């Protein structure tokens, strides 16, 4: 992909079997700048034929041993380190491309790209440390437990953190010795293609890493049903995740699903309110609310309730909407017109559903942004969790606030959602913090913080928030099979 200035429109191709190719059908689709509604790129609209080509390339690269067997662990490690170095070298261009494609703030995009580089470094280190085990089975035999790559992996990533989510799957898969077919979200295909150019440049063997751009039904679905694909890893909505699990069940295909969330954010009266208010707002309004772990279900102890909702509204009123490339802007557009309309639908129906508006922001006044997909931040008071905006994942800058009476009440409300991805707890009482953290049914619980997700640790949810874990050494398990080799020594 050629270098470009942010004012230019550019075109690109898919990356399959080490080659840059158009869709077999010749079909294309446009990538839109969500801040302006302008077309910034035209990319191939892949379908079952293109997925078939990519899977065949990945299958051949794996079965021939060009990656998992013939390429040593040291060589895999070296290449992953080289990818990290190139990502870091292209940091500013990648971050700008991410802003243009998905609408986030430039500072946030730069932080994402920094983490992408680190993630490839982190798993580069793991590539040489995937040791097995020798369990004791008596004096007359030996048991060897060895790790082997699961095979060809179909990786389907969302549009809210396009390159970060891609790296979160690609890096451990490659470190484990798998080959991959990456399908970026149709709304945000551009940094995945730029990653392909980096992979090509550093010398990863052809077929090991492939990118197919296109829509879910056309380019994602074929990976679910193709028997040559051994593993699917998906991050996205609950509805699609359920469909993926059902479809893959016919082949007993390995599946990792990181799905939605409706994360409780619990503020106790003994919390440091300045930190709690700031963290709560960033945990809901950060990345335009397009965060699966957004702490949008805000629960506040009754004795400080009025004070807290006043301060939340004050912080929200200081948010400035606009293009993510504008350094004075603090919230960008939503990713697409469809997502904007979806979020606006929740907001429009909230009053009739029993919610009371505490704060509603304004659209940007810049006439250049009138075609952008902006939704102002809003805060809604709900007495219980019956309204849809208090129960369903919105994926936009919408916060609900509900008072609670006690620790048990906070836990009950926090566990009332069908999701279980994350939760935040604000308190200065360590006993209260640990009691609540242990009782909340969520895969990630933050105490006096909101939204950190270090690559060295773990990510994944309980209940309807998914299956399996990502990040840290835990991600590697998703891309490895364990084999028992029994040797009779008698």
């Amino acid at each position: 992909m050629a270098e470009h200035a942010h004012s230019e429109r550019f075109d690109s191709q898919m990356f399959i079997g080490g080659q840059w190719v158009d869709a077999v059908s010749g079909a294309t689709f446009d990538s839109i700048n969500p801040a302006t509604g302008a077309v910034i790129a035209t990319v191939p609209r892949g379908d079952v034929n293109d997925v078939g080509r990519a899977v065949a390339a990945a299958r051949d690269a794996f079965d021939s041993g060009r990656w998992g067997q013939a390429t040593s662990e040291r060589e895999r490690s070296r290449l992953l380190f080289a990818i990290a170095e190139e990502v870091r070298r292209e940091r500013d261009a990648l971050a700008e491309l991410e802003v243009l494609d998905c609408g986030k703030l430039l500072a946030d995009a730069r932080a994402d790209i920094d983490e992408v580089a680190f993630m490839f470094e982190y798993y580069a280190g793991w590539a040489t440390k995937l040791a097995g085990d020798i369990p004791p089975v008596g004096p007359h035999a030996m048991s060897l437990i060895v790790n082997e790559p699961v095979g060809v992996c179909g990786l389907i990533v969302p549009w809210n953190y396009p390159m970060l989510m891609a790296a979160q799957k690609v890096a451990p898969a490659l470190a484990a010795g798998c080959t991959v077919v990456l399908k970026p979200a149709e709304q945000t295909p551009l940094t995945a293609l730029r990653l392909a150019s980096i992979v090509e440049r550093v010398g990863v063997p052809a077929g090991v890493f492939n990118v197919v751009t296109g829509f879910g039904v056309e380019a994602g679905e074929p990976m679910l049903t193709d028997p040559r694909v051994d593993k699917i890893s998906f991050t996205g909505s609950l509805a699609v995740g359920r469909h993926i699990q059902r479809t893959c069940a016919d082949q007993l295909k390995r599946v990792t699903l990181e799905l939605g969330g409706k994360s409780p954010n619990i503020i106790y009266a003994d919390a440091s309110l300045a930190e709690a208010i700031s963290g709560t707002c960033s945990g809901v309004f950060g990345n335009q609310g397009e965060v699966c772990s957004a702490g949008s279900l805000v629960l506040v102890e009754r004795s400080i309730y009025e004070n807290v909702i006043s301060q939340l509204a004050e912080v929200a009123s200081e948010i400035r909407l606009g293009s993510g490339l504008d350094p004075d802007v603090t919230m960008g557009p939503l990713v697409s017109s469809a997502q904007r309309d979806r979020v606006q639908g929740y907001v429009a129906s909230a009053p009739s559903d029993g919610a009371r508006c505490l704060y509603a922001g304004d659209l940007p006044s810049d006439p250049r942004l009138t075609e952008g997909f902006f939704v102002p931040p809003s805060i809604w008071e709900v007495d219980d969790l019956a309204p849809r905006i208090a129960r369903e994942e919105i994926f936009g800058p919408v916060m609900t606030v509900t008072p609670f009476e006690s620790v048990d009440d906070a836990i009950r409300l926090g566990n009332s959602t069908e999701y279980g991805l994350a939760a935040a707890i604000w308190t200065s009482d360590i006993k209260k913090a640990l009691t609540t953290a242990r009782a909340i049914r969520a895969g990630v619980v933050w105490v006096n913080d909101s939204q950190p997700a270090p690559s060295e640790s773990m990510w994944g949810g309980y209940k309807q928030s998914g299956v399996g874990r990502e990040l840290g050494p835990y991600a590697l398990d998703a891309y490895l099979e364990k084999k028992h080799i029994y040797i009779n020594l008698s």
Side-chain angles (χ1 to χ4, degrees):
M1 234 168 20
E3 294 294 327
H4 64 282
H6 71 257
S7 60
E8 294 178 353
R9 171 176 167 169
F10 60 96
D11 301 329
S12 191
Q13 295 174 297
M14 295 184 290
F15 188 68
I16 296 177
Q19 302 293 319
W20 293 97
V21 298
D22 295 322
V24 171
S25 68
T28 62
F29 66 99
D30 293 331
S31 186
I32 305 296
N33 181 344
T36 64
V39 174
I40 54 173
T42 298
V43 297
R45 183 166 180 163
D47 61 19
V48 62
N49 296 308
D50 305 291
V51 172
R53 286 194 295 172
V55 171
R59 188 81 257 169
D60 180 66
F62 185 80
D63 290 345
S64 68
R66 287 203 303 276
W67 187 244
Q69 295 174 351
T71 304
S72 70
E73 292 83 1
R74 286 189 179 190
E75 178 65 1
R76 293 206 302 269
S77 177
R78 183 191 71 78
L79 288 167
L80 288 171
F81 275 120
I83 292 171
E85 185 177 350
E86 288 298 298
V87 168
R88 193 163 280 121
R89 188 179 68 82
E90 291 194 19
R91 177 207 189 215
D92 290 341
L94 287 166
E96 185 177 282
L97 194 58
E98 202 83 315
V99 173
L100 292 172
D101 217 14
C102 74
K104 65 175 62 203
L105 302 181
L106 182 58
D108 292 345
R110 285 172 174 160
D112 288 355
I113 302 306
D114 289 341
E115 196 67 12
V116 167
F118 172 75
M119 207 174 288
F120 276 103
E121 288 176 339
Y122 178 81
Y123 288 107
W126 269 110
T128 57
K129 300 170 184 66
L130 299 176
D133 200 5
I134 307 178
V137 292
H140 303 300
M142 177 175 286
S143 280
L144 306 178
I145 308 300
V146 297
N147 288 310
E148 295 184 350
V150 73
V152 175
C153 300
L155 311 179
I156 305 172
V157 300
W159 41 256
N160 57 335
Y161 291 89
M163 196 172 191
L164 188 62
M165 292 293 100
Q168 189 167 308
K169 300 179 189 300
V170 170
L174 295 185
C178 296
T179 59
V180 307
V181 178
L182 173 65
K183 195 207 87 66
E186 60 267 25
Q187 298 89 344
T188 54
L190 301 183
T191 48
L193 295 172
R194 183 61 68 94
L195 178 60
S197 71
I198 290 173
V199 167
E200 177 186 39
R201 190 183 316 141
V202 303
V204 173
V208 171
F209 178 80
N210 308 273
V211 179
V212 176
T213 54
F215 291 76
V217 172
E218 299 167 351
E221 187 77 13
M223 289 199 288
L224 310 184
T225 55
D226 193 321
R228 297 171 296 177
V229 176
D230 302 293
K231 160 85 183 180
I232 294 290
S233 182
F234 168 78
T235 298
S237 72
L238 173 57
V240 176
R242 286 171 171 166
H243 170 74
I244 288 173
Q245 189 165 47
R246 284 193 298 267
T247 306
C248 291
D250 288 342
Q251 298 173 18
L252 293 182
K253 204 184 295 283
R254 275 72 174 141
V255 174
T256 297
L257 303 173
E258 200 268 272
L259 307 177
K262 191 68 177 178
S263 301
N265 185 97
I266 301 169
I267 305 176
Y268 286 111
D270 57 20
S272 167
L273 281 192
E275 293 179 3
I277 297 298
S278 174
T280 297
C281 286
S282 65
V284 180
F285 301 134
N287 209 57
Q288 302 76 247
E290 295 173 322
V291 182
C292 54
S293 58
S296 57
L297 183 63
V298 179
L299 308 173
V300 183
E301 194 161 1
R302 175 82 65 181
S303 63
I304 59 168
Y305 183 73
E306 295 299 330
N307 183 20
V308 167
I309 61 175
S310 173
Q311 292 190 52
L312 290 173
E314 184 177 345
V315 173
S317 70
E318 296 172 356
I319 292 173
R320 183 186 171 200
L321 273 66
S323 166
L325 295 175
D326 183 340
D328 296 324
V329 163
T330 56
M331 182 186 288
L334 299 190
V335 73
S336 66
S337 59
Q339 182 62 15
R340 175 199 59 197
D341 295 346
R342 179 178 182 274
V343 174
Q344 287 177 334
Y346 277 100
V347 171
S349 65
S352 62
D353 209 17
R356 296 179 295 278
C357 187
L358 298 176
Y359 174 79
D362 298 319
L363 288 168
S365 57
D366 189 336
R368 295 172 296 178
L369 304 176
T370 55
E371 300 301 316
F373 311 137
F374 294 94
V375 174
S378 61
I379 302 174
W380 298 83
E381 182 177 54
V382 293
D383 295 327
D384 54 39
L385 305 186
R388 289 175 62 233
I389 60 168
R391 291 182 289 105
E392 299 179 11
E393 183 180 46
I394 297 174
F395 235 61
V398 181
M399 175 193 296
T400 66
V401 190
T402 305
F404 67 84
E405 305 295 342
S406 64
V407 172
D408 288 344
D409 196 26
I411 292 169
R412 177 185 63 82
L413 290 167
N415 281 335
S416 64
T417 169
E418 67 176 336
Y419 295 105
L421 182 54
I425 301 163
W426 303 88
T427 178
S428 60
D429 184 331
I430 186 63
K431 181 179 178 181
K432 191 181 296 181
L434 290 176
T435 298
T436 308
R438 291 294 300 273
I440 290 291
R441 298 280 296 165
V444 180
V445 180
W446 300 294
V447 177
N448 296 326
D449 209 335
S450 181
Q451 307 305 315
S455 297
E456 309 95 320
S457 193
M458 186 209 77
W459 189 260
Y462 287 20
K463 299 189 284 186
Q464 299 298 297
S465 286
V467 177
R469 294 295 183 265
E470 295 188 295
L471 299 183
Y474 311 96
L476 293 160
D477 291 339
Y479 300 102
L480 292 169
E481 295 279 22
K482 293 190 181 298
K483 178 179 287 183
H484 176 199
I485 300 174
Y486 182 92
I487 305 168
N488 186 346
L489 300 177
S490 62

